[in-house]
Amino acid sequence: MTARLSAVVDGPDDAPVLVLGPSLGTDTGLFDAQAAEFAGDFRVVRYDLRGHGGSEVVPGPCTMADLAADVVALLDRLGVDRFSYAGVSIGGAIGQQLALTVPERLEKLAIIASAAQFADPPSWTARAQQVREQGTETLVGSRTGTWFTAAWAEQHPDEALRLLQMLRDTPDEGYAACCEAIGDFDVRDRLGQITMPTLVVAGAEDPATPPDMVRLIADGIPGAQFLVVTGAGHLPNTTDPETVNAALRGHLA
Ligand SMILES: O=C(O)CC1=CCC(=O)O1
């Protein structure tokens, strides 16, 4: 079943479309810095994952194919045919899935802090159960050190709180269902089928998808470029927007 996604659209109606896919437990606000940078010359579509932000909650497990189908349904509703796509973490996994299932619609792809298979797949079922029983609040403390370094959080306390509030605001069932999609995801054998120009970005201090794991995506996609962002954790687009925006700008040109 397709979920109805909420989205924020910025930029001229007739500009090339850039779709931005968020990470687990965040919302469209994850991409404030990218919307500010690119809405002058792109129609920027930021969406909420199913069960996150303002999107519909669909109870029960789902797959990455379901999450990609949600995005396709949103773009059909917005009248978007071809688009470029950049996604963080699960948003990057959705990008890989889109590249495999609707390649004729995808112009350029950027995959940030993501994986072709995430670490320790069974742990995602356990995390889903933990969140269904105890809520997303139980994960907030450990996101410092994962999403961003403790040093960055000390220097940017308001921005760290803003990001963590997204996790607090995420419905437990929405978060849990996306955990199950992450645990089930594995496209390692299919990366060679991705044909559009691809940029792959890792955070040097990311414990969730460390650079060596992210690099495997770039190694598998013919011609993909690979960049490591110094000092960044799992959300390099928020903690070092200048570096990530410059890389995206060059890639999308
Ligand atoms: O666990 C986290 O918060 C990091 C993460 C893994 C997949 C995703 O989208 O975020």
Side-chain angles (χ1 to χ4, degrees), residues 148 150-162 238-239:
F148 36 74
W152 183 88
E154 262 180 42
Q155 288 157 11
H156 304 84
D158 293 345
E159 181 65 353
L161 279 178
R162 186 182 77 89
T238 57
T239 55

Side-chain angles (χ1 to χ4, degrees), residues 103-127:
E104 71 285 357
R105 295 180 66 168
L106 203 45
E107 289 175 342
K108 292 189 177 176
L109 175 63
I111 300 167
I112 301 168
S114 190
Q117 183 189 45
F118 288 85
D120 193 6
S123 72
W124 291 98
T125 311
R127 196 193 291 196

Side-chain angles (χ1 to χ4, degrees), residues 23-24 88-91 118 124 127 143 146-147 175 182 208 234:
S23 62
L24 183 66
V88 178
S89 196
I90 189 174
F118 288 85
W124 291 98
R127 196 193 291 196
R143 292 317 86 189
T146 303
W147 285 3
Y175 187 99
I182 290 170
H234 195 59

Side-chain angles (χ1 to χ4, degrees), residues 78-232:
L78 293 174
V80 172
D81 179 17
R82 290 179 61 77
F83 58 96
S84 291
Y85 181 99
V88 178
S89 196
I90 189 174
I94 293 168
Q96 294 168 70
Q97 189 73 46
L98 290 167
L100 291 166
T101 52
V102 289
E104 71 285 357
R105 295 180 66 168
L106 203 45
E107 289 175 342
K108 292 189 177 176
L109 175 63
I111 300 167
I112 301 168
S114 190
Q117 183 189 45
F118 288 85
D120 193 6
S123 72
W124 291 98
T125 311
R127 196 193 291 196
Q129 186 180 348
Q130 176 189 337
V131 167
R132 283 195 177 99
E133 290 172 1
Q134 300 170 43
T136 59
E137 185 65 38
T138 58
L139 293 169
V140 169
S142 56
R143 292 317 86 189
T144 297
T146 303
W147 285 3
F148 36 74
T149 64
W152 183 88
E154 262 180 42
Q155 288 157 11
H156 304 84
D158 293 345
E159 181 65 353
L161 279 178
R162 186 182 77 89
L163 292 165
L164 295 173
Q165 190 60 43
M166 294 179 199
L167 177 56
R168 292 192 164 98
D169 290 343
T170 302
D172 298 339
E173 181 55 37
Y175 187 99
C178 285
C179 286
E180 285 154 341
I182 290 170
D184 178 62
F185 181 65
D186 183 3
V187 293
R188 288 171 297 168
D189 291 346
R190 301 179 67 197
L191 291 172
Q193 299 167 27
I194 295 179
T195 51
M196 64 285 307
T198 300
L199 169 69
V200 181
V201 178
E205 310 299 330
D206 178 5
T209 53
D212 284 350
M213 182 185 291
V214 183
R215 183 189 295 275
L216 292 178
I217 305 174
D219 289 347
I221 299 177
Q225 294 182 331
F226 182 60
L227 169 73
V228 179
V229 181
T230 308

